[in-house]
Amino acid sequence: MSETRVHGTDARTAHQDLHSEQGALRGEHPGRARNPVIKVADLAWLEFEKPDLVRAEVFARDFGFQVAVRTESELWLRGTFAGSPCMVIRRGRASRFIGPAFRAAEWADLDRLARATGSDVRDTDVPGGGKAVHLLDPSGFPVRVVHCGEQLPALPEQQPLLLNFGTDRRRTNATQRPPREPSRIQRLGHVVLETRVFGRALDWYLDTLGMIVSDFLFLDGQRERGPVMAFIRCDLGSVPADHHTLAMHLGPGTGYVHSAYQVTDLDSIAAGGEYLKERGYRRSWGIGRHIQGSQLFDYWRDTDRFMLEHFADGDLFSRDVEPGWAPMSTSGLAQWGPPATRDFLGASPSPQRVRDVIQALRGDNEMDPARLLGLLKAAKS
């Protein structure tokens, strides 16, 4: 039977089949901190470096981003929703992910966070201005917590198609012909990261940024060693938040896995995918529907091989939903859709991946032969 270990909450248990068949066992990780420093409200943007901003902009427009600001050295990308940009790409010598920026709920949170971490509140270069606290998570990712000044205004949306359902006939004397055009990105949804220090990184995000876990995954036969993946959302109290804003999993490397961007609906995903295919881009995996989070998904590689996801119709949880627990498996990634590809799973061997495994097994981290074999088994199950 699942046990709620956080005082002062009225959490519904996962074993009531709310979103997972299993809840926590006695003594397992509660998935939230008792007294976090602050509670971030959302992801603000992701930061990358790339040597060719022209090529990056071409893909960005084809994928469905709008350009907020373009300079010689920076490209700020946005969605149609009002708010901050959702990605910044700075000119650099090599293509690499820098780190995420999270949005503070209030200006005062930045001061509180700075005092607790021994950091400073600095000006940030986001369009419209703002302030930020610069941190470093246990994996080594630079993390910014920001509060922006002026918000970008909303842009025109791709309208959802009017659908007929059985006897609920809303569309008559009209056809459905969604145009073959880029999906129109609405907003940044989540980022997924790989880390060798999963437990330390998880606790840091819960303790420092006040995030809470929606679902844990564990390795077959190793549940007593704790989870190896967490889908983590923002704690907005009674206001429902995305099932995950951040997901992390244990692995031999440390780095970016993918990021996800919300679009209007399934037709937007499909028509936008056809547009990308015609433009010569490479689909990594899709179209399907996930289990953890329930999103409709479609994954693509950009011209620098970063993976990006179009998604729609994701789960929204308020604070009173406690974590679910499930075994990690490839077959458990989707309710329907094509089998997960080797490209999506990162299963194709490469010299860098071999080096990552060797360094992880030799280093002071949470990877060991049993964990590595368990991850390989999960990838084939």
Side-chain angles (χ1 to χ4, degrees):
M1 183 173 178
S2 178
E3 179 189 31
T4 302
R5 293 169 49 183
V6 181
H7 298 294
T9 67
D10 184 22
R12 288 186 287 176
T13 56
H15 67 268
Q16 291 174 316
D17 200 28
L18 179 63
H19 64 105
S20 176
E21 293 183 359
Q22 302 180 42
L25 302 176
R26 185 177 297 276
E28 287 186 318
H29 200 297
R32 58 187 74 188
R34 292 180 182 275
N35 188 28
V37 178
I38 66 167
K39 294 181 179 181
V40 293
D42 203 353
L43 264 177
W45 64 80
L46 303 177
E47 301 192 14
F48 294 83
E49 284 185 356
K50 295 186 177 187
D52 190 338
L53 294 189
V54 173
R55 186 174 70 169
E57 182 178 348
V58 170
F59 172 81
R61 291 185 182 275
D62 288 342
F63 193 72
F65 292 103
Q66 306 292 320
V67 174
V69 174
R70 177 72 159 86
T71 70
E72 280 293 314
S73 59
E74 291 186 346
L75 176 63
W76 287 87
L77 303 173
R78 61 161 298 176
T80 58
F81 286 1
S84 68
C86 52
M87 183 186 295
V88 56
I89 305 173
R90 307 182 200 277
R91 189 183 303 280
R93 297 179 62 182
S95 294
R96 66 188 186 110
F97 173 67
I98 304 301
F102 291 88
R103 179 169 60 85
E106 301 176 354
W107 286 103
D109 286 342
L110 297 184
D111 291 324
R112 185 179 304 111
L113 183 62
R115 288 195 302 270
T117 59
S119 306
D120 298 320
V121 179
R122 312 179 195 173
D123 291 330
T124 186
D125 55 355
V126 63
K131 300 288 185 179
V133 174
H134 294 240
L135 305 171
L136 199 67
D137 80 1
S139 304
F141 291 113
V143 174
R144 286 209 270 181
V145 179
V146 303
H147 197 286
C148 299
E150 182 181 343
Q151 286 198 336
L152 297 172
L155 297 176
E157 294 281 344
Q158 265 175 333
Q159 295 302 310
L161 297 185
L162 189 63
L163 303 179
N164 289 329
F165 299 98
T167 59
D168 183 8
R169 301 171 181 176
R170 307 181 185 186
R171 189 186 79 256
T172 58
N173 298 328
T175 60
Q176 295 279 41
R177 301 291 187 269
R180 193 71 58 85
E181 63 182 5
S183 303
R184 212 169 297 175
I185 300 298
Q186 295 175 327
R187 65 182 180 95
L188 168 62
H190 62 259
V191 63
V192 180
L193 305 175
E194 178 178 339
T195 176
R196 300 172 183 171
V197 291
F198 171 79
R200 298 209 304 268
L202 170 66
D203 288 343
W204 186 87
Y205 282 97
L206 306 190
D207 294 340
T208 308
L209 304 187
M211 305 182 80
I212 56 180
V213 175
S214 297
D215 279 288
F216 282 121
L217 300 184
F218 57 89
L219 294 176
D220 184 39
Q222 298 187 35
R223 180 165 180 170
E224 75 285 350
R225 295 191 63 184
V228 293
M229 185 166 188
F231 297 88
I232 310 165
R233 69 187 186 275
C234 295
D235 181 358
L236 305 183
S238 62
V239 177
D242 286 338
H243 173 272
H244 55 285
T245 297
L246 168 68
M248 290 190 303
H249 69 79
L250 178 66
T254 297
Y256 169 95
V257 179
H258 76 258
S259 52
Y261 303 86
Q262 181 176 291
V263 299
T264 300
D265 57 14
L266 180 58
D267 278 279
S268 177
I269 291 175
E274 290 300 303
Y275 181 86
L276 287 169
K277 186 168 64 175
E278 289 173 353
R279 299 279 288 175
Y281 298 109
R282 177 182 170 191
R283 175 180 269 129
S284 180
W285 182 36
I287 297 172
R289 186 181 283 277
H290 279 307
I291 293 179
Q292 275 82 24
S294 303
Q295 298 96 335
L296 296 163
F297 66 82
D298 195 19
Y299 293 90
W300 292 84
R301 293 282 185 183
D302 74 3
T303 48
D304 295 279
R305 290 199 48 76
F306 289 107
M307 190 189 301
L308 292 87
E309 174 190 1
H310 284 144
F311 82 92
D313 190 35
D315 290 338
L316 300 170
F317 287 176
S318 59
R319 190 181 194 275
D320 64 348
V321 178
E322 69 174 44
W325 287 70
M328 175 181 276
S329 68
T330 295
S331 60
L333 290 173
Q335 181 183 3
W336 58 261
T341 63
R342 291 178 63 84
D343 179 73
F344 174 81
L345 297 171
S348 300
S350 67
Q352 182 58 54
R353 200 60 171 167
V354 172
R355 287 193 292 270
D356 287 342
V357 170
I358 293 172
Q359 292 174 3
L361 293 178
R362 290 177 175 174
D364 179 18
N365 54 65
E366 297 169 29
M367 284 296 298
D368 56 39
R371 284 305 212 192
L372 179 60
L373 290 174
L375 291 169
L376 292 173
K377 180 181 176 181
K380 297 177 180 179
S381 62

